[in-house]
Amino acid sequence: MYSGDQHLPRVVLLHSNDIHSRLERTSQIASFISEQRRVYGDDRLLVVDCGDHMDRMRLETEGSNGRVNIELMNAACYTAAAIGNNEGLTYRKETLGRVYETYAQFPVICANLFDAKTGQRPDWMLPRLITRKNGMTFGITSVTFQYESFYRLLGWQVTDPLMAAAEQVGWMRSRVDVVVVLSHLGLPMDERMAMEIKGIDVIAGGHTHHLLYEPIRISDTIVCAAGKFGDHLGKIEIDWNSSTDKPVLRASCVSVADYAEEPESNEIIKRYRASGERRLSRVVARLDEPLPVRLEGESPLGNLLAAGLRRWTDAEIGIVNTGQLLGGLAKGDVTEGQLHALCPSPINPCRMQLSGRQIRTALEESLLDEFIGMPIRGYGFRGHRLGALAIDGIEVVYDPDQLDYHKIISITIQGEELTDDKDYIVGTIDMFTFGAGYKSLRQGMDIQYYLPEFIRNVLASQLTDRSFVLDCFRNRWSVLKS
């Protein structure tokens, strides 16, 4: 154990979280880390990431399966990195393992994620890291949010994060001077962890994008977080109090906005942008006519996506919000890169059972400006506004002059009137099950998720069939004729 006095130089722990592939910010973060390394020396510096560094909305990340993010962390000399849901749930298990095992020059830590077949952690993942800096011993572990049903579909078993953290902290506490938990659980769970698990010195957290300029102190634990998108970096100065035999911790967050972009990082980004563009230049389909999209109502591309979700999930009805599509498609070749640009969200198809009443409520809301223009953030959504509902397998006649929630005149499914008390099988998106946007769609039963496919994969499959493309020009919504 460490036995020095208060006058020994401090150790500095820098922590990032939820960068979500804002790669230019990683370049500024690299400049700040380099400055701190010059000031304190490598033996006094720990640099960690708390997950969601990757985000497949970014071309460089999509085109490299996350390798660009790993190379940027390598260049900045990260000590360790955690697994967030954007790493664990947007890549196949084999793809994620291959890129970490092949390229990461830092340990990847997660205590509550296991291979579902073997019940063991993969070789590239550690439950904890023990490291020494300037005569002090640090024990670092990490836990990720328990999205059990999603992880199961990708071949993972995710266990209770607080139980996993308690096990690792119990093992480390007598062996190290400072216990650090990298948490991708969100602030409420971090506070609960601090209250329930004794022996943690630092919880560096993320997932809920909370920014703590000053730490939350709960007993002997400080809870820290640096917001989102790499705008800030957490900084914890660590000294030792020999009289109490405990660490002294001073935590803050530092804005990196005024730091210059680091040249080596910029070269990495530039290189992967070029390779990503080449990789995503593959032609998926060729269109004989353009497929426009409208946020405010029905359009061919929205119809095509709704129809694709219905077919993909073998459902009676397809429903998706038009805000998932950030643009239309022009006549001519359609590439993977174009589909990625107009549909960047890492959102998965979903199948559920909804009552006719729940469907009717959502369709009525789809005619209201407050829903169409609703800003949405998170839940995998990488667009801007919710948009109206695109539908397939169902036809709606409405009167825009009627009162809100009384605009729809008729709803038919395969020629039969929708019945409020009858249940229907609906193909839609996982975002709605989290309660985002159209609330009645959250009430679905018998939910089945489809991973690892994203809705842009569904769209690509639709574009390859000429009959599907022709059918998307058929109206599903009709205004009542006077």
Side-chain angles (χ1 to χ4, degrees):
M1 301 295 289
Y2 179 68
S3 59
D5 61 36
Q6 290 177 316
H7 298 291
L8 282 175
R10 59 183 176 245
V11 172
V12 172
L13 171 64
L14 303 178
H15 57 95
S16 58
N17 63 274
D18 298 285
I19 289 177
H20 285 280
S21 288
R22 267 53 174 195
L23 301 185
E24 287 72 25
R25 282 296 195 220
T26 70
S27 183
Q28 292 174 294
I29 286 172
S31 290
F32 179 78
I33 293 171
S34 295
E35 177 192 85
Q36 298 293 288
R37 188 165 279 114
R38 287 192 298 270
V39 171
Y40 298 104
D42 190 61
D43 190 43
R44 301 177 190 176
L45 198 64
L46 287 165
V47 186
V48 296
D49 183 76
C50 304
D52 278 8
H53 195 290
M54 299 178 187
D55 195 314
R56 291 181 62 178
M57 73 171 288
R58 183 74 182 227
L59 180 146
E60 295 90 337
T61 300
E62 176 74 358
S64 67
N65 287 329
R67 182 177 171 182
V68 63
N69 302 76
I70 291 172
E71 296 285 9
L72 287 165
M73 284 193 279
N74 286 343
C77 298
Y78 270 71
T79 307
I83 296 287
N85 49 284
N86 266 263
E87 285 88 14
L89 290 177
T90 65
Y91 290 101
R92 295 180 185 273
K93 176 161 58 67
E94 297 76 15
T95 302
L96 191 67
R98 186 162 53 250
V99 73
Y100 274 128
E101 191 167 30
T102 305
Y103 302 110
Q105 297 171 10
F106 49 84
V108 180
I109 306 173
C110 189
N112 67 321
L113 203 55
F114 302 85
D115 187 304
K117 288 184 179 179
T118 66
Q120 304 296 315
R121 294 182 187 88
D123 292 341
W124 53 268
M125 185 188 297
L126 299 176
R128 61 184 173 267
L129 172 69
I130 309 298
T131 186
R132 285 183 67 79
K133 289 287 181 178
N134 199 25
M136 296 179 71
T137 304
F138 290 81
I140 304 172
T141 189
S142 174
V143 283
T144 198
F145 199 88
Q146 194 177 11
Y147 289 114
E148 192 169 3
S149 57
F150 288 91
Y151 274 114
R152 187 186 310 115
L153 291 171
L154 291 172
W156 291 108
Q157 177 190 3
V158 60
T159 62
D160 184 287
L162 297 189
M163 291 180 63
E167 178 184 3
Q168 296 302 320
V169 171
W171 188 94
M172 293 189 298
R173 184 65 276 178
S174 63
R175 295 172 168 86
V176 304
D177 299 305
V178 182
V179 171
V180 179
V181 177
L182 311 182
S183 166
H184 202 80
L185 303 180
L187 184 56
M189 288 287 282
D190 289 351
E191 292 177 314
R192 180 182 164 192
M193 188 192 311
M195 289 186 285
E196 294 183 2
I197 302 175
K198 303 304 179 184
I200 303 174
D201 296 301
V202 176
I203 297 173
H207 186 53
T208 48
H209 296 184
H210 47 291
L211 174 62
L212 301 176
Y213 284 109
E214 295 183 358
I216 298 172
R217 294 185 179 271
I218 300 174
S219 189
D220 292 330
T221 304
I222 61 169
V223 178
C224 309
K228 62 181 179 180
F229 304 157
D231 292 339
H232 295 82
L233 199 66
K235 180 178 181 179
I236 305 171
E237 297 175 344
I238 305 169
D239 285 308
W240 189 261
N241 188 327
S242 56
S243 62
T244 62
D245 207 30
K246 289 184 177 180
V248 179
L249 308 167
R250 295 176 297 275
S252 62
C253 284
V254 179
S255 171
V256 301
D258 293 332
Y259 281 81
E261 294 179 7
E262 201 269 336
E264 182 182 357
S265 297
N266 282 351
E267 283 301 312
I268 292 170
I269 297 167
K270 181 179 178 181
R271 185 168 73 250
Y272 280 100
R273 183 180 302 123
S275 63
E277 287 172 349
R278 289 193 299 271
R279 179 176 175 181
L280 298 181
S281 64
R282 188 181 73 86
V283 174
V284 174
R286 178 167 294 171
L287 294 176
D288 294 331
E289 58 278 296
L291 297 181
V293 67
R294 291 179 61 234
L295 182 73
E296 301 82 3
E298 184 168 20
S299 59
L301 194 59
N303 290 345
L304 189 69
L305 179 55
L309 287 165
R310 181 177 68 83
R311 294 186 179 96
W312 197 278
T313 61
D314 192 25
E316 299 170 85
I317 302 166
I319 298 178
V320 66
N321 62 305
T322 57
Q324 295 295 338
L325 298 164
L326 304 188
L329 290 170
K331 178 181 177 180
D333 289 344
V334 179
T335 66
E336 288 183 355
Q338 287 175 282
L339 293 183
H340 177 263
L342 67 87
C343 197
S345 302
I347 284 179
N348 307 108
C350 172
R351 186 178 194 260
M352 65 173 69
Q353 183 176 289
L354 286 167
S355 71
R357 183 175 292 104
Q358 291 163 340
I359 294 168
R360 183 187 301 276
T361 298
L363 295 175
E364 286 278 9
E365 290 172 345
S366 178
L367 295 169
L368 305 179
D369 291 341
E370 64 185 274
F371 284 90
I372 294 170
M374 181 187 296
I376 301 290
R377 293 179 178 85
Y379 309 102
F381 184 59
R382 301 295 181 259
H384 307 289
R385 305 284 175 177
L386 179 62
L389 287 177
I391 55 177
D392 187 65
I394 183 170
E395 296 182 353
V396 179
V397 178
Y398 68 100
D399 184 348
D401 296 326
Q402 296 300 313
L403 295 174
D404 293 354
Y405 290 94
H406 296 281
K407 296 180 184 297
I408 292 178
I409 307 302
S410 69
I411 303 173
T412 55
I413 300 171
Q414 296 179 353
E416 295 186 2
E417 279 287 332
L418 176 134
T419 303
D420 283 351
D421 295 329
K422 181 179 177 180
D423 291 331
Y424 298 89
I425 303 301
V426 178
T428 184
I429 55 176
D430 61 3
M431 184 185 89
F432 291 143
T433 70
F434 304 137
Y438 294 98
K439 300 295 185 180
S440 67
L441 301 182
R442 185 184 186 178
Q443 301 167 17
M445 304 294 290
D446 296 328
I447 297 171
Q448 180 180 347
Y449 298 106
Y450 293 76
L451 272 71
E453 301 89 353
F454 294 152
I455 53 176
R456 59 177 171 266
N457 302 119
V458 174
L459 201 56
S461 71
Q462 289 290 105
L463 288 167
T464 60
D465 191 308
R466 177 65 179 163
S467 66
F468 297 162
V469 173
L470 290 174
D471 185 61
C472 78
F473 289 92
R474 176 177 55 83
N475 287 339
R476 278 76 165 166
W477 292 85
S478 301
V479 176
L480 179 67
K481 296 179 181 178
S482 57

Short mmCIF file of all heavy atoms in Angstrom, two decimals, residues 26 46 67 103 109 117 284 328 434 437 449:
data_model
loop_
_atom_site.label_atom_id
_atom_site.label_comp_id
_atom_site.label_asym_id
_atom_site.label_seq_id
_atom_site.Cartn_x
_atom_site.Cartn_y
_atom_site.Cartn_z
N THR A 26 -12.67 14.90 -29.93
CA THR A 26 -11.62 14.00 -29.45
C THR A 26 -10.24 14.56 -29.78
O THR A 26 -9.28 14.34 -29.03
CB THR A 26 -11.75 12.59 -30.06
OG1 THR A 26 -11.44 12.61 -31.45
CG2 THR A 26 -13.14 12.01 -29.84
N LEU A 46 -3.69 9.29 -15.28
CA LEU A 46 -4.58 8.21 -15.70
C LEU A 46 -5.64 8.82 -16.62
O LEU A 46 -6.20 9.88 -16.30
CB LEU A 46 -5.28 7.58 -14.51
CG LEU A 46 -4.46 6.69 -13.57
CD1 LEU A 46 -5.22 6.48 -12.27
CD2 LEU A 46 -4.18 5.35 -14.23
N ARG A 67 -13.02 1.35 -35.52
CA ARG A 67 -11.56 1.37 -35.40
C ARG A 67 -11.02 2.79 -35.25
O ARG A 67 -10.05 3.02 -34.52
CB ARG A 67 -10.92 0.70 -36.61
CG ARG A 67 -9.40 0.64 -36.53
CD ARG A 67 -8.78 -0.09 -37.71
NE ARG A 67 -7.32 0.07 -37.72
CZ ARG A 67 -6.52 -0.43 -38.66
NH1 ARG A 67 -7.04 -1.13 -39.66
NH2 ARG A 67 -5.23 -0.23 -38.59
N TYR A 103 -6.84 -3.97 -32.32
CA TYR A 103 -6.29 -2.62 -32.41
C TYR A 103 -6.14 -1.87 -31.09
O TYR A 103 -5.33 -0.94 -31.02
CB TYR A 103 -7.17 -1.78 -33.35
CG TYR A 103 -7.27 -2.37 -34.73
CD1 TYR A 103 -8.47 -2.92 -35.19
CD2 TYR A 103 -6.17 -2.40 -35.57
CE1 TYR A 103 -8.57 -3.48 -36.46
CE2 TYR A 103 -6.26 -2.97 -36.85
CZ TYR A 103 -7.46 -3.50 -37.28
OH TYR A 103 -7.55 -4.06 -38.52
N ILE A 109 -12.57 -2.70 -20.16
CA ILE A 109 -13.03 -3.21 -18.86
C ILE A 109 -14.55 -3.25 -18.82
O ILE A 109 -15.22 -2.28 -19.16
CB ILE A 109 -12.51 -2.32 -17.71
CG1 ILE A 109 -10.99 -2.18 -17.78
CG2 ILE A 109 -12.93 -2.88 -16.35
CD1 ILE A 109 -10.43 -1.18 -16.78
N LYS A 117 -22.83 -17.99 -24.67
CA LYS A 117 -22.59 -19.42 -24.91
C LYS A 117 -21.65 -20.02 -23.88
O LYS A 117 -21.87 -21.13 -23.39
CB LYS A 117 -22.00 -19.61 -26.32
CG LYS A 117 -22.98 -19.38 -27.45
CD LYS A 117 -22.34 -19.69 -28.80
CE LYS A 117 -23.33 -19.50 -29.93
NZ LYS A 117 -22.71 -19.78 -31.27
N VAL A 284 -26.25 0.14 -53.70
CA VAL A 284 -27.27 -0.76 -53.17
C VAL A 284 -28.38 -1.00 -54.18
O VAL A 284 -28.88 -2.12 -54.34
CB VAL A 284 -27.87 -0.17 -51.87
CG1 VAL A 284 -29.05 -1.00 -51.38
CG2 VAL A 284 -26.81 -0.05 -50.80
N GLY A 328 -34.43 12.76 -48.81
CA GLY A 328 -34.93 11.83 -49.80
C GLY A 328 -33.83 11.28 -50.67
O GLY A 328 -32.64 11.55 -50.45
N PHE A 434 -39.27 2.75 -25.77
CA PHE A 434 -38.64 3.50 -24.69
C PHE A 434 -39.49 4.70 -24.26
O PHE A 434 -39.09 5.45 -23.37
CB PHE A 434 -37.26 3.99 -25.11
CG PHE A 434 -36.34 2.90 -25.58
CD1 PHE A 434 -35.55 3.07 -26.69
CD2 PHE A 434 -36.27 1.70 -24.89
CE1 PHE A 434 -34.70 2.06 -27.13
CE2 PHE A 434 -35.43 0.69 -25.32
CZ PHE A 434 -34.64 0.86 -26.44
N GLY A 437 -41.70 9.97 -28.17
CA GLY A 437 -42.60 10.35 -29.26
C GLY A 437 -44.04 9.97 -29.01
O GLY A 437 -44.70 10.49 -28.10
N TYR A 449 -37.52 -7.70 -30.52
CA TYR A 449 -36.55 -6.82 -31.16
C TYR A 449 -35.75 -7.60 -32.20
O TYR A 449 -35.53 -8.81 -32.06
CB TYR A 449 -35.61 -6.22 -30.11
CG TYR A 449 -36.30 -5.37 -29.08
CD1 TYR A 449 -36.47 -5.84 -27.77
CD2 TYR A 449 -36.78 -4.11 -29.40
CE1 TYR A 449 -37.11 -5.06 -26.82
CE2 TYR A 449 -37.42 -3.33 -28.44
CZ TYR A 449 -37.58 -3.82 -27.15
OH TYR A 449 -38.22 -3.04 -26.21
#
